[in-house]
């Protein structure tokens, strides 16, 4: 009986040391995105960005659409953080967007988005152009 208890303790110790019982840790990366949007009623946009994670750059594309009041066009240069990453591929997916905003000549935009992988993008940046919107839509990110 004593040998069995020692054996169980030894197996548990080895499992703990090899990381079998430790969950993976989420990481935070830096994100930069340039997004251009335009339209009348239905807004369509797209752009490119880069995720910097563990010192390595991962380029991606961004596409999106919004439905509601959208008039004009604008370009936004977002910078910020990507939270809860479990590797670079976890940034991919669809992100829901809702809200109202506007830019005339120049302004500032800020947004927080989340995808099904639990990744949260916290982005802000200057907006250039003439656009007013009160729309609901989403964006999709795909690694290149």
């Amino acid at each position: 009986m004593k040998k069995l208890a020692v054996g169980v303790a030894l197996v548990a110790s080895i499992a703990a040391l090899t990381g079998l019982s430790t969950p993976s840790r989420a990481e935070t990366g830096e994100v930069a995105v340039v997004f251009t949007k335009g339209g009348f009623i239905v807004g369509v946009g797209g752009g490119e960005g880069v995720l910097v994670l563990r010192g390595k750059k991962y380029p991606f594309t961004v596409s999106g659409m919004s439905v509601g009041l959208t008039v004009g066009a604008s370009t936004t240069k977002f910078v910020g953080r990507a939270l809860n990453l479990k590797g670079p591929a976890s940034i991919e997916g669809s992100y829901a967007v809702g809200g109202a905003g506007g830019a005339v000549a120049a302004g500032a935009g800020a947004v927080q988005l989340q995808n099904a992988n639990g990744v949260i993008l916290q982005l802000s940046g200057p907006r250039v152009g003439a656009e007013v919107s009160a729309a609901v839509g989403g964006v999709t990110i795909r690694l290149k």
Side-chain angles (χ1 to χ4, degrees):
M1 186 71 160
K2 194 173 190 179
K3 287 182 182 180
L4 180 62
V6 170
V8 169
L10 183 60
V11 170
S13 297
I14 291 171
L17 290 175
T18 59
L20 296 177
S21 63
T22 57
S24 62
R25 294 180 43 154
E27 299 178 89
T28 299
E30 299 296 318
V31 179
V33 179
V34 176
F35 190 79
T36 301
K37 178 179 156 188
F40 181 74
I41 306 298
V42 175
V44 178
E48 295 185 339
V50 65
L51 165 67
V52 179
L53 182 64
R54 293 181 237 123
K56 190 170 179 188
K57 294 181 180 181
Y58 300 91
F60 59 83
T61 59
V62 182
S63 61
M65 185 171 82
S66 60
V67 178
L69 173 64
T70 300
V71 179
S74 68
T75 297
T76 306
K77 296 179 181 181
F78 288 113
V79 294
R81 302 183 306 168
L83 308 171
N84 299 330
L85 292 167
K86 296 191 176 42
S90 62
I91 197 169
E92 290 189 310
S94 297
Y95 292 79
V97 180
V104 176
V111 65
Q112 180 167 309
L113 311 167
Q114 185 170 354
N115 71 6
N117 298 327
V119 174
I120 298 171
L121 300 180
Q122 296 176 332
L123 305 170
S124 63
R127 197 179 311 178
V128 178
E131 180 216 346
V132 176
S133 69
V136 176
V139 296
T140 301
I141 292 179
R142 296 280 175 244
L143 290 174
K144 288 184 176 180

